[in-house]
Amino acid sequence: MATMDKVFAGYHSRLSVLQSTFDKNPLARGVAWIEGELVPLHEARIPLLDEGFMHSDLTYDVPSVWDGRFFRLDDHLTRLQASCAKMRLQLPLPAAEVQKVLVEMVAKSGIRDAFVELIVTRGMKGVRGHTPGQKFTNNLYMFIQPFIWVMEPAVQPAGGKAVIARTVKRISPGSFDPTVKNLQWGDLTRGLFEAVDRGAVYPFLTDGDTNLTEGSGFNIVLIKGGVLYTPDRGVLEGVTRKSVIDVAKTCGLTVKIEFVPVEMAYSSDEIFMCTTAGGIMPITELDGKPVKDGKVGPITKQIWDAYWKIHWDPTFSFEIDYATATVKVVTNGTKH
């Protein structure tokens, strides 16, 4: 996979440059925005009694920066605002101001490949005992750190190991809306432990009714007969999954978003996971047995290449001007 080698070589080169600045720039290891102030990430503090910490009464989103370009930031902010609305939260800053702050944070850190997180919490007052129409003062926390990999680059060429979880199922959509990105990870954490106990890394959780849902921070895509299948119930509507759908259509491939039975996973030609923190992550072993021939399949490779290619496409990303801490604009006045 020549494209994979090129993408990862560029990443490692940029990471090496960043690491050389760790002793010079206190923000290079990560930077947080707390109550309007920028602080080194390891020094960031939040109020202990914030309802987000006390009761996980929050929502969040995770955009990314790749090679100095914010990728699909508008999509992430739109989803964050939708999640806030579903939870009766409100993003404390206008989206345009959030973008401005994030760009400044990235520029001051010097990080060119970044994991970015925005968290909106209920704030210091809980819901219990509130009166109808009462306004809450919601809190916003933002931080940036060097890119995080759900599946490390060294693993991706050969693919990872997954299991269909047996001891835990995904929380019901009737209990918590899975389209709201949340930190209620009890089921996902149990799945992670089970995966390791069974000699794997990644758990695929079911809905308890023989259908796949999602994993611990990633969507699942099965490929069978040249068609891509991904679950539509009990899952986050991932921005990376959206990118998969976009590039698959460009490649002339069919994507079906529907109920996906567990049994299909065992007869699939290819399987991959997708998330911001890692992109397209091939799975070549499921429940201790190889997926097809145990190698990364041709369609997974095609999607992998196309997914990373659009990171430099101005339709999906914009460049950061690190010198001025602003969005780089081309001569016609549009984002580059």
Side-chain angles (χ1 to χ4, degrees):
M1 296 177 70
T3 303
M4 184 180 283
D5 292 341
K6 182 179 179 181
V7 168
F8 286 152
Y11 162 74
H12 286 299
S13 176
R14 295 188 298 272
L15 178 61
S16 179
V17 172
L18 175 67
Q19 290 171 335
S20 71
T21 70
F22 281 173
D23 294 333
K24 307 169 188 175
N25 181 356
L27 304 182
R29 296 176 187 268
V31 54
W33 185 92
I34 308 290
E35 297 181 347
E37 299 292 330
L38 298 186
V39 296
L41 182 55
H42 69 279
E43 297 178 6
R45 301 290 184 269
I46 63 171
L48 187 62
L49 296 180
D50 190 305
E51 286 294 300
F53 178 77
M54 296 295 290
H55 292 114
S56 194
D57 191 358
L58 59 79
T59 186
Y60 76 110
D61 222 292
V62 179
S64 66
V65 174
W66 188 257
D67 195 12
R69 304 181 69 95
F70 252 112
F71 183 63
R72 302 200 85 146
L73 181 58
D74 288 345
D75 289 310
H76 284 281
L77 292 179
T78 297
R79 184 174 65 180
L80 178 61
Q81 290 174 308
S83 294
C84 284
K86 292 174 183 178
M87 291 193 66
R88 303 193 192 187
L89 297 167
Q90 186 169 352
L91 186 62
L93 295 178
E97 183 65 19
V98 171
Q99 175 181 295
K100 181 180 178 181
V101 172
L102 289 175
V103 168
E104 179 185 3
M105 292 169 68
V106 174
K108 289 187 174 181
S109 73
I111 301 172
R112 298 193 66 83
D113 303 296
F115 176 97
V116 181
E117 186 157 338
L118 305 90
I119 306 171
V120 180
T121 73
R122 186 72 56 194
M124 302 302 293
K125 181 173 176 55
V127 174
R128 182 183 290 120
H130 83 287
T131 57
Q134 179 178 336
K135 298 292 185 181
F136 292 84
T137 302
N138 302 146
N139 286 335
L140 171 64
Y141 306 103
M142 298 185 280
F143 66 87
I144 290 169
Q145 61 183 318
F147 200 84
I148 292 176
W149 297 92
V150 169
M151 180 182 286
E152 292 291 335
V155 177
Q156 292 196 26
K161 301 178 180 180
V163 296
I164 305 293
R166 300 168 181 165
T167 62
V168 60
K169 66 178 182 179
R170 190 72 174 103
I171 188 171
S172 166
S175 298
F176 196 98
D177 184 348
T179 66
V180 175
K181 197 167 176 67
N182 66 86
L183 292 177
Q184 299 191 32
W185 264 52
D187 52 351
L188 300 177
T189 299
R190 285 178 59 189
L192 285 166
F193 274 115
E194 180 185 336
V196 173
D197 290 344
R198 293 170 57 194
V201 179
Y202 307 101
F204 291 1
L205 273 64
T206 73
D207 62 2
D209 292 320
T210 72
N211 296 302
L212 287 177
T213 60
E214 59 188 353
S216 49
F218 54 81
N219 289 117
I220 300 165
V221 180
L222 308 181
I223 303 172
K224 187 175 178 65
V227 177
L228 282 68
Y229 298 86
T230 188
D232 72 341
R233 181 178 182 272
V235 302
L236 179 72
E237 296 173 347
V239 173
T240 306
R241 187 182 75 158
K242 183 177 182 179
S243 294
V244 168
I245 294 168
D246 288 341
V247 300
K249 290 179 179 178
T250 300
C251 294
L253 298 167
T254 298
V255 181
K256 294 188 176 182
I257 306 171
E258 59 188 30
F259 281 84
V260 178
V262 171
E263 62 184 81
M264 182 183 288
Y266 296 116
S267 62
S268 291
D269 300 320
E270 305 174 42
I271 300 174
F272 67 81
M273 314 178 303
C274 55
T275 188
T276 292
I280 311 304
M281 302 168 291
I283 291 297
T284 50
E285 181 181 301
L286 182 67
D287 283 359
K289 297 180 180 180
V291 176
K292 201 70 173 181
D293 62 0
K295 298 179 181 179
V296 179
I299 293 179
T300 299
K301 292 179 181 179
Q302 187 178 13
I303 297 294
W304 199 102
D305 290 348
Y307 169 75
W308 286 106
K309 183 178 180 180
I310 65 172
H311 280 64
W312 289 273
D313 185 338
T315 303
F316 301 98
S317 67
F318 64 82
E319 188 174 0
I320 299 164
D321 188 327
Y322 282 73
T324 62
T326 59
V327 176
K328 183 167 284 189
V329 178
V330 293
T331 52
N332 62 3
T334 59
K335 293 180 183 178
H336 185 268

